[in-house]
Amino acid sequence: MALNREQAWALLTQYNKDQFHLRHGITVEHVMGWFAQELGYGDEKEFWSLVGLLHDLDFEMWPEEHCIKSQELMRQAGVEERLIRATACHAWGMHVDLKPEHEMEKVLFATDELTGLIGAAALMRPSKSVSDMELKSLKKKFKDKKFAAGCSRDVIAQGAELLGWDLDKLLEQTLKAMQDEEAAIEAAVAAL
């Protein structure tokens, strides 16, 4: 079954209650939609967005079975296999053996950790916003391994490589996505 946004949100909130996890899902949803538009997949924007929204479906309750349990939960809910695979392969090399193949899967793999790093960097700014963040300050935060230590630099770099992009392009594009989508993300989070 092809989910709509409302059904996807109901599924997400069935297993996720923590504000941090819901915000992350919303952020990645908007970033994925932005990339769909930017990379010429505008007709699939809704699908890319749903993949972003649901990518961590199981993480709050089953972190040790991340992207394993989510496949089971989605199948029980009747979610289409294409969406199940797309969300699961962002844990490639960590919890699952599904390698990101489609450009959308590679974008999710590359940007998931990076959105967390950018979000953490924004909170350190006087504005608490990405709107005035520059690539050079993001690169500084990226190089500081102690900053947002939970965001894997190796996965981000591997994601850039999968996409055939240099790291700067990935950082710059993801920052731009978060800047362009910031108002929509904040509005969605405020409605929680």
Side-chain angles (χ1 to χ4, degrees):
M1 140 179 117
L3 291 182
N4 63 31
R5 202 312 177 153
E6 194 179 334
Q7 292 164 322
W9 181 253
L11 184 61
L12 181 69
T13 54
Q14 189 176 340
Y15 303 106
N16 292 268
K17 309 294 181 207
D18 185 277
Q19 179 91 9
F20 177 83
H21 292 125
L22 295 174
R23 172 186 266 281
H24 177 64
I26 290 167
T27 300
V28 179
E29 170 190 18
H30 284 270
V31 166
M32 290 297 291
W34 185 91
F35 271 106
Q37 210 64 54
E38 195 67 20
L39 298 173
Y41 297 93
D43 56 332
E44 290 191 37
K45 181 179 179 180
E46 187 179 351
F47 181 75
W48 283 49
S49 297
L50 293 180
V51 167
L53 184 65
L54 292 174
H55 79 285
D56 279 347
L57 179 67
D58 59 4
F59 190 75
E60 188 175 314
M61 293 175 75
W62 299 277
E64 298 306 314
E65 296 178 71
H66 185 38
C67 290
I68 298 165
K69 185 72 176 174
S70 65
Q71 294 179 63
E72 178 190 320
L73 299 172
M74 287 188 202
R75 283 192 184 102
Q76 285 170 1
V79 174
E80 62 181 308
E81 284 298 319
R82 189 169 79 114
L83 197 148
I84 294 170
R85 181 199 149 70
T87 57
C89 68
H90 87 276
W92 173 58
M94 294 165 272
H95 299 278
V96 299
D97 290 332
L98 291 170
K99 184 177 181 183
E101 301 291 347
H102 186 280
E103 192 167 19
M104 178 259 302
E105 296 170 347
K106 294 173 184 178
V107 169
L108 177 63
F109 183 88
T111 61
D112 176 32
E113 298 278 319
L114 183 51
T115 60
L117 180 76
I118 294 170
L123 292 176
M124 303 300 290
R125 303 180 71 73
S127 65
K128 304 273 188 247
S129 168
V130 292
S131 63
D132 56 354
M133 189 183 298
E134 292 179 4
L135 180 60
K136 66 178 184 190
S137 70
L138 174 58
K139 285 169 72 171
K140 236 184 247 173
K141 294 291 188 199
F142 183 86
K143 286 178 184 151
D144 177 0
K145 302 281 193 258
K146 289 186 184 108
F147 178 77
C151 298
S152 170
R153 274 59 168 183
D154 292 343
V155 168
I156 295 167
Q158 190 180 16
E161 198 177 297
L162 272 176
L163 283 162
W165 297 355
D166 61 36
L167 186 59
D168 277 11
K169 178 177 178 178
L170 177 61
L171 295 176
E172 187 175 28
Q173 291 289 293
T174 307
L175 176 58
K176 177 143 178 39
M178 288 181 70
Q179 289 169 334
D180 289 355
E181 295 295 323
E182 186 171 41
I185 292 166
E186 291 308 324
V189 169
L192 291 177

